[in-house]
Amino acid sequence: KVCSSKDAFHLLARLWDVETLEFVESFKIILLNRANRVLGVSQIGVGGTSAVIVDPKLVFVTALKANAHSMILAHNHPSGELIPSEPDRKITRKLVEIGRILDIAILDHLIVTPDSYFSFADEGEL
């Protein structure tokens, strides 16, 4: 069960390939049921050293197939920088809006590094 950004970070830390965390940028989603129990974690995209393409259709087809009630977005910054970029903010806003239309809540978006994370929800950016 995921009750906080810290819970989500610890789940991701266990599942993320540490060999690639500081090498290539990846985008994952944590799929949750109505009780915030994890239905699964899915990798949506893998990019280069400084960017990853996020296709909203892939995000939501995955959530719909899992019958997810909500989800948490996550991606890493190989640079170790935790501050969100403008493209990070833009894709977050876009996915939140699509989620509203489909009635699939975006609870958070985490940027992760090996040692820490940034939470859009904790920082009031959702």
Side-chain angles (χ1 to χ4, degrees), residues 11-122:
L11 172 65
L12 291 164
R14 286 196 321 268
L15 299 176
W16 216 292
D17 180 0
V18 294
E19 299 295 322
T20 64
L21 190 58
E22 295 178 287
F23 184 62
V24 295
E25 196 164 320
S26 300
F27 192 93
K28 300 177 186 285
I29 55 174
I30 302 172
L31 303 160
L32 304 166
N33 69 11
R34 289 189 185 278
N36 286 351
R37 296 210 180 274
V38 176
L39 298 169
V41 177
S42 183
Q43 182 162 287
I44 297 300
V46 177
T49 58
S50 63
V52 60
I53 301 291
V54 179
D55 184 340
K57 290 179 286 227
L58 291 177
V59 171
F60 286 98
V61 76
T62 304
L64 289 166
K65 283 182 178 181
N67 198 28
H69 178 261
S70 60
M71 69 177 112
I72 296 171
L73 314 172
H75 78 283
N76 64 313
H77 279 175
S79 67
E81 180 63 54
L82 287 173
I83 297 171
S85 66
E86 188 50 38
D88 294 339
R89 288 182 171 96
K90 185 177 177 182
I91 193 65
T92 302
R93 287 189 300 267
K94 186 174 190 173
L95 294 174
V96 166
E97 183 59 29
I98 295 167
R100 279 190 195 116
I101 293 166
L102 294 174
D103 200 24
I104 299 173
I106 306 295
L107 301 180
D108 205 345
H109 182 171
L110 300 182
I111 298 172
V112 300
T113 65
D115 304 316
S116 192
Y117 67 96
F118 175 92
S119 163
F120 279 70
D122 291 354

